[in-house]
PDB file of all heavy atoms in Angstrom:
ATOM      1  N   ILE A  55     -15.647 -13.578   8.439  1.00 88.00           N
ATOM      2  CA  ILE A  55     -15.479 -13.218   9.841  1.00 88.00           C
ATOM      3  C   ILE A  55     -14.257 -13.964  10.366  1.00 88.00           C
ATOM      4  O   ILE A  55     -14.186 -15.190  10.271  1.00 88.00           O
ATOM      5  CB  ILE A  55     -16.720 -13.586  10.677  1.00 88.00           C
ATOM      6  CG1 ILE A  55     -17.946 -12.812  10.168  1.00 88.00           C
ATOM      7  CG2 ILE A  55     -16.487 -13.283  12.145  1.00 88.00           C
ATOM      8  CD1 ILE A  55     -19.243 -13.205  10.855  1.00 88.00           C
ATOM      9  N   GLU A  56     -13.290 -13.224  10.898  1.00 81.00           N
ATOM     10  CA  GLU A  56     -12.071 -13.825  11.417  1.00 81.00           C
ATOM     11  C   GLU A  56     -12.129 -13.863  12.936  1.00 81.00           C
ATOM     12  O   GLU A  56     -12.432 -12.865  13.577  1.00 81.00           O
ATOM     13  CB  GLU A  56     -10.847 -13.023  10.952  1.00 81.00           C
ATOM     14  CG  GLU A  56      -9.525 -13.627  11.355  1.00 81.00           C
ATOM     15  CD  GLU A  56      -8.341 -12.868  10.789  1.00 81.00           C
ATOM     16  OE1 GLU A  56      -8.557 -11.958   9.958  1.00 81.00           O
ATOM     17  OE2 GLU A  56      -7.201 -13.183  11.174  1.00 81.00           O
ATOM     18  N   GLU A  57     -11.852 -15.020  13.496  1.00 80.00           N
ATOM     19  CA  GLU A  57     -11.950 -15.211  14.937  1.00 80.00           C
ATOM     20  C   GLU A  57     -10.616 -14.934  15.614  1.00 80.00           C
ATOM     21  O   GLU A  57      -9.570 -15.439  15.207  1.00 80.00           O
ATOM     22  CB  GLU A  57     -12.384 -16.646  15.244  1.00 80.00           C
ATOM     23  CG  GLU A  57     -12.598 -16.937  16.712  1.00 80.00           C
ATOM     24  CD  GLU A  57     -13.052 -18.360  16.962  1.00 80.00           C
ATOM     25  OE1 GLU A  57     -13.281 -19.085  15.980  1.00 80.00           O
ATOM     26  OE2 GLU A  57     -13.151 -18.735  18.141  1.00 80.00           O
ATOM     27  N   GLY A  58     -10.635 -14.100  16.656  1.00 72.00           N
ATOM     28  CA  GLY A  58      -9.468 -13.866  17.483  1.00 72.00           C
ATOM     29  C   GLY A  58      -9.664 -14.496  18.846  1.00 72.00           C
ATOM     30  O   GLY A  58     -10.618 -15.252  19.069  1.00 72.00           O
ATOM     31  N   ASN A  59      -8.786 -14.181  19.788  1.00 70.00           N
ATOM     32  CA  ASN A  59      -8.915 -14.765  21.120  1.00 70.00           C
ATOM     33  C   ASN A  59     -10.182 -14.299  21.830  1.00 70.00           C
ATOM     34  O   ASN A  59     -10.900 -15.080  22.445  1.00 70.00           O
ATOM     35  CB  ASN A  59      -7.686 -14.419  21.966  1.00 70.00           C
ATOM     36  CG  ASN A  59      -6.452 -15.184  21.525  1.00 70.00           C
ATOM     37  OD1 ASN A  59      -6.559 -16.180  20.826  1.00 70.00           O
ATOM     38  ND2 ASN A  59      -5.287 -14.717  21.921  1.00 70.00           N
ATOM     39  N   ASP A  60     -10.448 -12.990  21.772  1.00 74.00           N
ATOM     40  CA  ASP A  60     -11.595 -12.435  22.489  1.00 74.00           C
ATOM     41  C   ASP A  60     -12.461 -11.558  21.593  1.00 74.00           C
ATOM     42  O   ASP A  60     -13.184 -10.689  22.076  1.00 74.00           O
ATOM     43  CB  ASP A  60     -11.109 -11.598  23.684  1.00 74.00           C
ATOM     44  CG  ASP A  60     -10.326 -12.419  24.683  1.00 74.00           C
ATOM     45  OD1 ASP A  60     -10.882 -13.407  25.197  1.00 74.00           O
ATOM     46  OD2 ASP A  60      -9.147 -12.083  24.931  1.00 74.00           O
ATOM     47  N   GLU A  61     -12.357 -11.761  20.287  1.00 77.00           N
ATOM     48  CA  GLU A  61     -13.081 -10.880  19.375  1.00 77.00           C
ATOM     49  C   GLU A  61     -13.260 -11.564  18.029  1.00 77.00           C
ATOM     50  O   GLU A  61     -12.645 -12.597  17.745  1.00 77.00           O
ATOM     51  CB  GLU A  61     -12.294  -9.578  19.173  1.00 77.00           C
ATOM     52  CG  GLU A  61     -10.936  -9.806  18.530  1.00 77.00           C
ATOM     53  CD  GLU A  61     -10.096  -8.548  18.428  1.00 77.00           C
ATOM     54  OE1 GLU A  61     -10.539  -7.510  18.923  1.00 77.00           O
ATOM     55  OE2 GLU A  61      -9.005  -8.627  17.847  1.00 77.00           O
ATOM     56  N   ILE A  62     -14.106 -10.990  17.229  1.00 84.00           N
ATOM     57  CA  ILE A  62     -14.210 -11.384  15.834  1.00 84.00           C
ATOM     58  C   ILE A  62     -13.986 -10.141  14.978  1.00 84.00           C
ATOM     59  O   ILE A  62     -14.272  -9.016  15.392  1.00 84.00           O
ATOM     60  CB  ILE A  62     -15.581 -12.014  15.495  1.00 84.00           C
ATOM     61  CG1 ILE A  62     -16.725 -11.039  15.801  1.00 84.00           C
ATOM     62  CG2 ILE A  62     -15.765 -13.339  16.206  1.00 84.00           C
ATOM     63  CD1 ILE A  62     -18.074 -11.533  15.327  1.00 84.00           C
ATOM     64  N   ARG A  63     -13.430 -10.340  13.813  1.00 82.00           N
ATOM     65  CA  ARG A  63     -13.152  -9.243  12.888  1.00 82.00           C
ATOM     66  C   ARG A  63     -13.986  -9.441  11.638  1.00 82.00           C
ATOM     67  O   ARG A  63     -13.937 -10.490  11.007  1.00 82.00           O
ATOM     68  CB  ARG A  63     -11.673  -9.212  12.522  1.00 82.00           C
ATOM     69  CG  ARG A  63     -11.318  -8.129  11.515  1.00 82.00           C
ATOM     70  CD  ARG A  63      -9.878  -8.279  11.062  1.00 82.00           C
ATOM     71  NE  ARG A  63      -9.544  -7.327  10.025  1.00 82.00           N
ATOM     72  CZ  ARG A  63      -8.500  -7.437   9.228  1.00 82.00           C
ATOM     73  NH1 ARG A  63      -7.686  -8.482   9.344  1.00 82.00           N
ATOM     74  NH2 ARG A  63      -8.251  -6.544   8.306  1.00 82.00           N
ATOM     75  N   ARG A 280      -0.165 -19.298  10.308  1.00 64.00           N
ATOM     76  CA  ARG A 280      -1.407 -18.810  10.911  1.00 64.00           C
ATOM     77  C   ARG A 280      -2.097 -19.867  11.763  1.00 64.00           C
ATOM     78  O   ARG A 280      -2.633 -19.589  12.824  1.00 64.00           O
ATOM     79  CB  ARG A 280      -2.343 -18.342   9.790  1.00 64.00           C
ATOM     80  CG  ARG A 280      -3.386 -17.348  10.228  1.00 64.00           C
ATOM     81  CD  ARG A 280      -4.194 -16.895   9.052  1.00 64.00           C
ATOM     82  NE  ARG A 280      -4.512 -15.474   9.119  1.00 64.00           N
ATOM     83  CZ  ARG A 280      -5.227 -14.846   8.213  1.00 64.00           C
ATOM     84  NH1 ARG A 280      -5.686 -15.488   7.173  1.00 64.00           N
ATOM     85  NH2 ARG A 280      -5.470 -13.567   8.323  1.00 64.00           N
ATOM     86  N   GLN A 281      -2.093 -21.100  11.276  1.00 61.00           N
ATOM     87  CA  GLN A 281      -2.800 -22.166  11.987  1.00 61.00           C
ATOM     88  C   GLN A 281      -1.872 -22.995  12.886  1.00 61.00           C
ATOM     89  O   GLN A 281      -2.305 -23.970  13.486  1.00 61.00           O
ATOM     90  CB  GLN A 281      -3.475 -23.091  10.962  1.00 61.00           C
ATOM     91  CG  GLN A 281      -4.379 -22.379   9.967  1.00 61.00           C
ATOM     92  CD  GLN A 281      -5.493 -21.612  10.631  1.00 61.00           C
ATOM     93  OE1 GLN A 281      -6.003 -22.040  11.667  1.00 61.00           O
ATOM     94  NE2 GLN A 281      -5.889 -20.496  10.061  1.00 61.00           N
ATOM     95  N   ASN A 282      -0.601 -22.608  12.965  1.00 67.00           N
ATOM     96  CA  ASN A 282       0.376 -23.408  13.702  1.00 67.00           C
ATOM     97  C   ASN A 282       0.312 -23.070  15.193  1.00 67.00           C
ATOM     98  O   ASN A 282       0.642 -21.978  15.611  1.00 67.00           O
ATOM     99  CB  ASN A 282       1.784 -23.140  13.166  1.00 67.00           C
ATOM    100  CG  ASN A 282       2.787 -24.172  13.649  1.00 67.00           C
ATOM    101  OD1 ASN A 282       2.651 -24.728  14.718  1.00 67.00           O
ATOM    102  ND2 ASN A 282       3.802 -24.413  12.829  1.00 67.00           N
ATOM    103  N   THR A 283      -0.111 -24.031  15.995  1.00 70.00           N
ATOM    104  CA  THR A 283      -0.203 -23.830  17.451  1.00 70.00           C
ATOM    105  C   THR A 283       0.826 -24.667  18.202  1.00 70.00           C
ATOM    106  O   THR A 283       0.735 -24.821  19.417  1.00 70.00           O
ATOM    107  CB  THR A 283      -1.614 -24.170  17.956  1.00 70.00           C
ATOM    108  OG1 THR A 283      -1.898 -25.543  17.623  1.00 70.00           O
ATOM    109  CG2 THR A 283      -2.654 -23.260  17.335  1.00 70.00           C
ATOM    110  N   PRO A 286       5.151 -22.335  21.568  1.00 86.00           N
ATOM    111  CA  PRO A 286       4.619 -21.761  22.815  1.00 86.00           C
ATOM    112  C   PRO A 286       4.072 -20.349  22.589  1.00 86.00           C
ATOM    113  O   PRO A 286       4.618 -19.576  21.795  1.00 86.00           O
ATOM    114  CB  PRO A 286       5.836 -21.729  23.738  1.00 86.00           C
ATOM    115  CG  PRO A 286       6.814 -22.683  23.148  1.00 86.00           C
ATOM    116  CD  PRO A 286       6.573 -22.671  21.682  1.00 86.00           C
ATOM    117  N   LEU A 287       3.001 -20.025  23.295  1.00 85.00           N
ATOM    118  CA  LEU A 287       2.411 -18.690  23.234  1.00 85.00           C
ATOM    119  C   LEU A 287       2.993 -17.838  24.350  1.00 85.00           C
ATOM    120  O   LEU A 287       2.923 -18.205  25.529  1.00 85.00           O
ATOM    121  CB  LEU A 287       0.896 -18.762  23.373  1.00 85.00           C
ATOM    122  CG  LEU A 287       0.157 -17.419  23.435  1.00 85.00           C
ATOM    123  CD1 LEU A 287       0.289 -16.670  22.110  1.00 85.00           C
ATOM    124  CD2 LEU A 287      -1.322 -17.628  23.764  1.00 85.00           C
ATOM    125  N   VAL A 288       3.581 -16.704  23.990  1.00 88.00           N
ATOM    126  CA  VAL A 288       4.099 -15.749  24.971  1.00 88.00           C
ATOM    127  C   VAL A 288       3.233 -14.502  24.901  1.00 88.00           C
ATOM    128  O   VAL A 288       3.203 -13.803  23.878  1.00 88.00           O
ATOM    129  CB  VAL A 288       5.574 -15.386  24.693  1.00 88.00           C
ATOM    130  CG1 VAL A 288       6.048 -14.305  25.660  1.00 88.00           C
ATOM    131  CG2 VAL A 288       6.450 -16.620  24.786  1.00 88.00           C
ATOM    132  N   ASN A 289       2.502 -14.232  25.981  1.00 87.00           N
ATOM    133  CA  ASN A 289       1.645 -13.050  26.043  1.00 87.00           C
ATOM    134  C   ASN A 289       2.431 -11.952  26.743  1.00 87.00           C
ATOM    135  O   ASN A 289       2.687 -12.017  27.945  1.00 87.00           O
ATOM    136  CB  ASN A 289       0.353 -13.375  26.811  1.00 87.00           C
ATOM    137  CG  ASN A 289      -0.680 -12.278  26.683  1.00 87.00           C
ATOM    138  OD1 ASN A 289      -0.352 -11.104  26.837  1.00 87.00           O
ATOM    139  ND2 ASN A 289      -1.913 -12.660  26.410  1.00 87.00           N
ATOM    140  N   LEU A 290       2.810 -10.941  25.977  1.00 88.00           N
ATOM    141  CA  LEU A 290       3.712  -9.897  26.467  1.00 88.00           C
ATOM    142  C   LEU A 290       2.966  -8.575  26.627  1.00 88.00           C
ATOM    143  O   LEU A 290       2.251  -8.146  25.717  1.00 88.00           O
ATOM    144  CB  LEU A 290       4.872  -9.720  25.484  1.00 88.00           C
ATOM    145  CG  LEU A 290       5.982  -8.735  25.855  1.00 88.00           C
ATOM    146  CD1 LEU A 290       6.779  -9.256  27.048  1.00 88.00           C
ATOM    147  CD2 LEU A 290       6.911  -8.517  24.658  1.00 88.00           C
ATOM    148  N   ARG A 312       4.817 -17.925  19.505  1.00 81.00           N
ATOM    149  CA  ARG A 312       3.613 -17.212  19.072  1.00 81.00           C
ATOM    150  C   ARG A 312       3.495 -16.025  20.019  1.00 81.00           C
ATOM    151  O   ARG A 312       3.000 -16.158  21.131  1.00 81.00           O
ATOM    152  CB  ARG A 312       2.382 -18.114  19.134  1.00 81.00           C
ATOM    153  CG  ARG A 312       2.355 -19.174  18.053  1.00 81.00           C
ATOM    154  CD  ARG A 312       1.072 -19.977  18.082  1.00 81.00           C
ATOM    155  NE  ARG A 312       0.962 -20.736  19.324  1.00 81.00           N
ATOM    156  CZ  ARG A 312      -0.097 -20.712  20.132  1.00 81.00           C
ATOM    157  NH1 ARG A 312      -1.140 -19.940  19.841  1.00 81.00           N
ATOM    158  NH2 ARG A 312      -0.120 -21.441  21.229  1.00 81.00           N
ATOM    159  N   LEU A 313       3.978 -14.895  19.562  1.00 81.00           N
ATOM    160  CA  LEU A 313       4.100 -13.730  20.430  1.00 81.00           C
ATOM    161  C   LEU A 313       2.835 -12.881  20.363  1.00 81.00           C
ATOM    162  O   LEU A 313       2.427 -12.428  19.300  1.00 81.00           O
ATOM    163  CB  LEU A 313       5.316 -12.898  20.018  1.00 81.00           C
ATOM    164  CG  LEU A 313       5.563 -11.619  20.812  1.00 81.00           C
ATOM    165  CD1 LEU A 313       5.772 -11.937  22.291  1.00 81.00           C
ATOM    166  CD2 LEU A 313       6.768 -10.876  20.249  1.00 81.00           C
ATOM    167  N   GLU A 314       2.233 -12.684  21.514  1.00 83.00           N
ATOM    168  CA  GLU A 314       1.025 -11.870  21.599  1.00 83.00           C
ATOM    169  C   GLU A 314       1.354 -10.607  22.382  1.00 83.00           C
ATOM    170  O   GLU A 314       1.753 -10.669  23.545  1.00 83.00           O
ATOM    171  CB  GLU A 314      -0.093 -12.647  22.287  1.00 83.00           C
ATOM    172  CG  GLU A 314      -1.452 -11.998  22.185  1.00 83.00           C
ATOM    173  CD  GLU A 314      -2.555 -12.887  22.724  1.00 83.00           C
ATOM    174  OE1 GLU A 314      -2.787 -12.822  23.950  1.00 83.00           O
ATOM    175  OE2 GLU A 314      -3.151 -13.647  21.947  1.00 83.00           O
ATOM    176  N   LEU A 315       1.228  -9.470  21.742  1.00 80.00           N
ATOM    177  CA  LEU A 315       1.531  -8.190  22.359  1.00 80.00           C
ATOM    178  C   LEU A 315       0.234  -7.422  22.577  1.00 80.00           C
ATOM    179  O   LEU A 315      -0.442  -7.065  21.613  1.00 80.00           O
ATOM    180  CB  LEU A 315       2.483  -7.377  21.478  1.00 80.00           C
ATOM    181  CG  LEU A 315       2.908  -6.008  22.005  1.00 80.00           C
ATOM    182  CD1 LEU A 315       3.664  -6.146  23.322  1.00 80.00           C
ATOM    183  CD2 LEU A 315       3.766  -5.273  20.982  1.00 80.00           C
ATOM    184  N   ALA A 316      -0.112  -7.207  23.834  1.00 73.00           N
ATOM    185  CA  ALA A 316      -1.350  -6.500  24.188  1.00 73.00           C
ATOM    186  C   ALA A 316      -2.559  -7.114  23.487  1.00 73.00           C
ATOM    187  O   ALA A 316      -3.449  -6.421  23.000  1.00 73.00           O
ATOM    188  CB  ALA A 316      -1.233  -5.019  23.848  1.00 73.00           C
ATOM    189  N   GLY A 317      -2.561  -8.443  23.389  1.00 69.00           N
ATOM    190  CA  GLY A 317      -3.726  -9.138  22.851  1.00 69.00           C
ATOM    191  C   GLY A 317      -3.687  -9.432  21.374  1.00 69.00           C
ATOM    192  O   GLY A 317      -4.631 -10.014  20.829  1.00 69.00           O
ATOM    193  N   TYR A 318      -2.599  -9.043  20.668  1.00 71.00           N
ATOM    194  CA  TYR A 318      -2.538  -9.272  19.227  1.00 71.00           C
ATOM    195  C   TYR A 318      -1.268 -10.025  18.883  1.00 71.00           C
ATOM    196  O   TYR A 318      -0.179  -9.640  19.294  1.00 71.00           O
ATOM    197  CB  TYR A 318      -2.570  -7.935  18.473  1.00 71.00           C
ATOM    198  CG  TYR A 318      -2.509  -8.102  16.978  1.00 71.00           C
ATOM    199  CD1 TYR A 318      -3.647  -8.475  16.253  1.00 71.00           C
ATOM    200  CD2 TYR A 318      -1.316  -7.893  16.282  1.00 71.00           C
ATOM    201  CE1 TYR A 318      -3.598  -8.640  14.888  1.00 71.00           C
ATOM    202  CE2 TYR A 318      -1.258  -8.054  14.912  1.00 71.00           C
ATOM    203  CZ  TYR A 318      -2.411  -8.431  14.212  1.00 71.00           C
ATOM    204  OH  TYR A 318      -2.356  -8.597  12.856  1.00 71.00           O
ATOM    205  N   GLU A 319      -1.400 -11.113  18.124  1.00 72.00           N
ATOM    206  CA  GLU A 319      -0.233 -11.887  17.719  1.00 72.00           C
ATOM    207  C   GLU A 319       0.589 -11.100  16.701  1.00 72.00           C
ATOM    208  O   GLU A 319       0.074 -10.670  15.675  1.00 72.00           O
ATOM    209  CB  GLU A 319      -0.650 -13.236  17.131  1.00 72.00           C
ATOM    210  CG  GLU A 319      -0.996 -14.269  18.201  1.00 72.00           C
ATOM    211  CD  GLU A 319      -1.048 -15.674  17.642  1.00 72.00           C
ATOM    212  OE1 GLU A 319      -0.105 -16.084  16.934  1.00 72.00           O
ATOM    213  OE2 GLU A 319      -2.053 -16.361  17.907  1.00 72.00           O
ATOM    214  N   THR A 320       1.877 -10.927  16.994  1.00 73.00           N
ATOM    215  CA  THR A 320       2.698 -10.037  16.166  1.00 73.00           C
ATOM    216  C   THR A 320       3.574 -10.749  15.152  1.00 73.00           C
ATOM    217  O   THR A 320       3.927 -10.160  14.134  1.00 73.00           O
ATOM    218  CB  THR A 320       3.626  -9.191  17.058  1.00 73.00           C
ATOM    219  OG1 THR A 320       4.500 -10.064  17.792  1.00 73.00           O
ATOM    220  CG2 THR A 320       2.823  -8.355  18.044  1.00 73.00           C
ATOM    221  N   ARG A 322       3.011 -13.896  13.698  1.00 66.00           N
ATOM    222  CA  ARG A 322       2.401 -14.945  12.902  1.00 66.00           C
ATOM    223  C   ARG A 322       2.398 -14.512  11.439  1.00 66.00           C
ATOM    224  O   ARG A 322       2.582 -13.342  11.100  1.00 66.00           O
ATOM    225  CB  ARG A 322       0.964 -15.203  13.355  1.00 66.00           C
ATOM    226  CG  ARG A 322       0.011 -14.098  12.944  1.00 66.00           C
ATOM    227  CD  ARG A 322      -1.436 -14.462  13.218  1.00 66.00           C
ATOM    228  NE  ARG A 322      -2.333 -13.509  12.591  1.00 66.00           N
ATOM    229  CZ  ARG A 322      -3.648 -13.565  12.689  1.00 66.00           C
ATOM    230  NH1 ARG A 322      -4.214 -14.508  13.394  1.00 66.00           N
ATOM    231  NH2 ARG A 322      -4.404 -12.678  12.093  1.00 66.00           N
TER     232      ARG A 322
END
Side-chain angles (χ1 to χ4, degrees):
I55 298 175
E56 184 176 352
E57 183 179 355
N59 288 343
D60 299 302
E61 63 185 4
I62 59 173
R63 178 188 175 197
R280 203 177 219 181
Q281 306 301 326
N282 194 330
T283 59
L287 175 66
V288 175
N289 191 314
L290 184 68
R312 288 184 296 128
L313 179 60
E314 191 173 87
L315 181 62
Y318 180 78
E319 280 195 49
T320 61
R322 73 172 191 182

